[in-house]
PDB file of all heavy atoms in Angstrom:
ATOM      1  N   ALA A 222      18.890 -19.987   6.749  1.00  0.00           N
ATOM      2  CA  ALA A 222      18.222 -19.253   5.671  1.00  0.00           C
ATOM      3  C   ALA A 222      17.599 -20.227   4.669  1.00  0.00           C
ATOM      4  O   ALA A 222      16.461 -20.031   4.217  1.00  0.00           O
ATOM      5  CB  ALA A 222      19.216 -18.330   4.970  1.00  0.00           C
ATOM      6  N   ILE A 223      18.314 -21.265   4.328  1.00  0.00           N
ATOM      7  CA  ILE A 223      17.784 -22.275   3.404  1.00  0.00           C
ATOM      8  C   ILE A 223      16.576 -22.971   4.030  1.00  0.00           C
ATOM      9  O   ILE A 223      15.559 -23.213   3.359  1.00  0.00           O
ATOM     10  CB  ILE A 223      18.876 -23.290   3.030  1.00  0.00           C
ATOM     11  CG1 ILE A 223      19.964 -22.588   2.202  1.00  0.00           C
ATOM     12  CG2 ILE A 223      18.282 -24.471   2.264  1.00  0.00           C
ATOM     13  CD1 ILE A 223      21.210 -23.418   1.994  1.00  0.00           C
ATOM     14  N   ALA A 224      16.673 -23.263   5.323  1.00  0.00           N
ATOM     15  CA  ALA A 224      15.559 -23.927   6.009  1.00  0.00           C
ATOM     16  C   ALA A 224      14.323 -23.026   6.049  1.00  0.00           C
ATOM     17  O   ALA A 224      13.190 -23.495   5.864  1.00  0.00           O
ATOM     18  CB  ALA A 224      15.980 -24.320   7.425  1.00  0.00           C
ATOM     19  N   VAL A 225      14.521 -21.722   6.290  1.00  0.00           N
ATOM     20  CA  VAL A 225      13.395 -20.784   6.315  1.00  0.00           C
ATOM     21  C   VAL A 225      12.722 -20.724   4.952  1.00  0.00           C
ATOM     22  O   VAL A 225      11.486 -20.782   4.836  1.00  0.00           O
ATOM     23  CB  VAL A 225      13.855 -19.377   6.751  1.00  0.00           C
ATOM     24  CG1 VAL A 225      12.785 -18.335   6.454  1.00  0.00           C
ATOM     25  CG2 VAL A 225      14.194 -19.365   8.234  1.00  0.00           C
ATOM     26  N   GLN A 226      13.523 -20.637   3.908  1.00  0.00           N
ATOM     27  CA  GLN A 226      12.954 -20.571   2.562  1.00  0.00           C
ATOM     28  C   GLN A 226      12.109 -21.814   2.273  1.00  0.00           C
ATOM     29  O   GLN A 226      11.087 -21.744   1.597  1.00  0.00           O
ATOM     30  CB  GLN A 226      14.072 -20.443   1.530  1.00  0.00           C
ATOM     31  CG  GLN A 226      13.615 -20.004   0.156  1.00  0.00           C
ATOM     32  CD  GLN A 226      13.245 -18.528   0.092  1.00  0.00           C
ATOM     33  OE1 GLN A 226      13.791 -17.707   0.801  1.00  0.00           O
ATOM     34  NE2 GLN A 226      12.292 -18.208  -0.774  1.00  0.00           N
ATOM     35  N   GLY A 227      12.520 -22.929   2.839  1.00  0.00           N
ATOM     36  CA  GLY A 227      11.810 -24.181   2.631  1.00  0.00           C
ATOM     37  C   GLY A 227      10.510 -24.303   3.400  1.00  0.00           C
ATOM     38  O   GLY A 227       9.773 -25.285   3.222  1.00  0.00           O
ATOM     39  N   LEU A 228      10.197 -23.334   4.267  1.00  0.00           N
ATOM     40  CA  LEU A 228       8.947 -23.370   5.017  1.00  0.00           C
ATOM     41  C   LEU A 228       7.727 -23.000   4.168  1.00  0.00           C
ATOM     42  O   LEU A 228       6.587 -23.193   4.599  1.00  0.00           O
ATOM     43  CB  LEU A 228       9.016 -22.407   6.207  1.00  0.00           C
ATOM     44  CG  LEU A 228      10.031 -22.734   7.309  1.00  0.00           C
ATOM     45  CD1 LEU A 228      10.055 -21.602   8.344  1.00  0.00           C
ATOM     46  CD2 LEU A 228       9.697 -24.058   7.982  1.00  0.00           C
ATOM     47  N   THR A 229       7.957 -22.466   2.985  1.00  0.00           N
ATOM     48  CA  THR A 229       6.847 -22.039   2.125  1.00  0.00           C
ATOM     49  C   THR A 229       5.849 -23.171   1.920  1.00  0.00           C
ATOM     50  O   THR A 229       6.220 -24.308   1.622  1.00  0.00           O
ATOM     51  CB  THR A 229       7.381 -21.542   0.770  1.00  0.00           C
ATOM     52  OG1 THR A 229       8.113 -20.334   0.980  1.00  0.00           O
ATOM     53  CG2 THR A 229       6.251 -21.293  -0.208  1.00  0.00           C
ATOM     54  N   ASP A 230       4.570 -22.849   2.089  1.00  0.00           N
ATOM     55  CA  ASP A 230       3.478 -23.812   1.919  1.00  0.00           C
ATOM     56  C   ASP A 230       2.483 -23.210   0.928  1.00  0.00           C
ATOM     57  O   ASP A 230       1.602 -22.437   1.296  1.00  0.00           O
ATOM     58  CB  ASP A 230       2.806 -24.084   3.272  1.00  0.00           C
ATOM     59  CG  ASP A 230       1.772 -25.192   3.209  1.00  0.00           C
ATOM     60  OD1 ASP A 230       1.201 -25.412   2.122  1.00  0.00           O
ATOM     61  OD2 ASP A 230       1.537 -25.843   4.246  1.00  0.00           O
ATOM     62  N   TRP A 231       2.640 -23.570  -0.331  1.00  0.00           N
ATOM     63  CA  TRP A 231       1.798 -22.979  -1.370  1.00  0.00           C
ATOM     64  C   TRP A 231       0.333 -23.339  -1.174  1.00  0.00           C
ATOM     65  O   TRP A 231      -0.559 -22.539  -1.488  1.00  0.00           O
ATOM     66  CB  TRP A 231       2.278 -23.422  -2.751  1.00  0.00           C
ATOM     67  CG  TRP A 231       3.675 -22.999  -3.085  1.00  0.00           C
ATOM     68  CD1 TRP A 231       4.741 -23.803  -3.332  1.00  0.00           C
ATOM     69  CD2 TRP A 231       4.171 -21.660  -3.190  1.00  0.00           C
ATOM     70  NE1 TRP A 231       5.878 -23.063  -3.588  1.00  0.00           N
ATOM     71  CE2 TRP A 231       5.547 -21.747  -3.508  1.00  0.00           C
ATOM     72  CE3 TRP A 231       3.595 -20.398  -3.050  1.00  0.00           C
ATOM     73  CZ2 TRP A 231       6.346 -20.617  -3.696  1.00  0.00           C
ATOM     74  CZ3 TRP A 231       4.394 -19.274  -3.232  1.00  0.00           C
ATOM     75  CH2 TRP A 231       5.741 -19.385  -3.546  1.00  0.00           C
ATOM     76  N   ASP A 232       0.069 -24.552  -0.695  1.00  0.00           N
ATOM     77  CA  ASP A 232      -1.321 -24.983  -0.519  1.00  0.00           C
ATOM     78  C   ASP A 232      -2.063 -24.106   0.490  1.00  0.00           C
ATOM     79  O   ASP A 232      -3.268 -23.854   0.341  1.00  0.00           O
ATOM     80  CB  ASP A 232      -1.375 -26.445  -0.067  1.00  0.00           C
ATOM     81  CG  ASP A 232      -0.945 -27.408  -1.154  1.00  0.00           C
ATOM     82  OD1 ASP A 232      -1.004 -27.023  -2.345  1.00  0.00           O
ATOM     83  OD2 ASP A 232      -0.540 -28.542  -0.823  1.00  0.00           O
ATOM     84  N   LYS A 233      -1.359 -23.643   1.525  1.00  0.00           N
ATOM     85  CA  LYS A 233      -1.971 -22.786   2.538  1.00  0.00           C
ATOM     86  C   LYS A 233      -1.822 -21.300   2.237  1.00  0.00           C
ATOM     87  O   LYS A 233      -2.287 -20.454   2.998  1.00  0.00           O
ATOM     88  CB  LYS A 233      -1.369 -23.086   3.912  1.00  0.00           C
ATOM     89  CG  LYS A 233      -1.733 -24.472   4.450  1.00  0.00           C
ATOM     90  CD  LYS A 233      -1.179 -24.678   5.844  1.00  0.00           C
ATOM     91  CE  LYS A 233      -1.584 -26.045   6.406  1.00  0.00           C
ATOM     92  NZ  LYS A 233      -1.026 -26.269   7.761  1.00  0.00           N
ATOM     93  N   GLY A 234      -1.149 -20.992   1.127  1.00  0.00           N
ATOM     94  CA  GLY A 234      -0.974 -19.592   0.755  1.00  0.00           C
ATOM     95  C   GLY A 234       0.009 -18.847   1.626  1.00  0.00           C
ATOM     96  O   GLY A 234      -0.098 -17.635   1.797  1.00  0.00           O
TER      97      GLY A 234
END
Side-chain angles (χ1 to χ4, degrees):
I223 293 169
V225 166
Q226 195 74 31
L228 295 175
T229 293
D230 187 333
W231 298 117
D232 290 338
K233 292 183 178 179

